[in-house]
Amino acid sequence: MARWGMVIDLDKCTGCQACVVACLVENNIPMQGPEQEAQGHTIQWLHLLPVFEDEKPNAKGRLMPMPCQHCDNPPCTKVCPVYATYINEEGIVAQIYPRCIGCRYCVNACP
């Protein structure tokens, strides 16, 4: 069985978050305003994690994209109460959007 993979060139990443916006659009997830984000009411399948190199005063920071890893045995598929999240025959973790009730169990179960 073929397996898909995604490569992100970290040397070219500027932290612009275009990949985050593209992921939201591709996965049919509405973008939230700052008020909702402050309350933790967002769903994202791609996060930019801050990574710091060295210690103060020479600390350098950058953002590292952390997308869905499409696990072999994804915990997100086991916790979905309506079976909206599943793993397809190509090994991609997918979602049946009309079935999703927005409980965010899949997001919480994601390692």
Side-chain angles (χ1 to χ4, degrees):
M1 168 173 68
R3 294 292 306 227
W4 291 91
M6 182 169 67
V7 176
I8 299 171
D9 187 348
L10 296 178
D11 290 333
K12 293 183 180 179
C13 178
T14 62
C16 69
Q17 297 197 27
C19 58
V20 174
V21 174
C23 181
L24 291 172
V25 171
E26 182 66 27
N27 289 294
N28 214 14
I29 300 170
M31 294 212 284
Q32 302 293 327
E35 299 85 20
Q36 290 89 5
E37 285 188 17
Q39 296 174 354
H41 294 175
T42 59
I43 295 178
Q44 291 182 334
W45 302 119
L46 174 64
H47 300 278
L48 291 181
L49 302 175
V51 176
F52 297 99
E53 300 167 356
D54 298 324
E55 296 292 325
K56 292 181 181 178
N58 300 326
K60 296 178 186 175
R62 61 185 171 106
L63 295 172
M64 183 171 65
M66 184 64 166
C68 173
Q69 299 297 309
H70 299 283
C71 308
D72 288 332
N73 190 13
C76 57
T77 61
K78 298 175 185 128
V79 298
C80 183
V82 294
Y83 305 105
T85 305
Y86 68 100
I87 188 163
N88 70 15
E89 64 277 351
E90 292 183 329
I92 296 174
V93 177
Q95 191 169 30
I96 303 169
Y97 299 113
R99 190 181 289 177
C100 177
I101 59 173
C103 67
R104 295 183 180 88
Y105 287 0
C106 54
V107 175
N108 290 328
C110 181

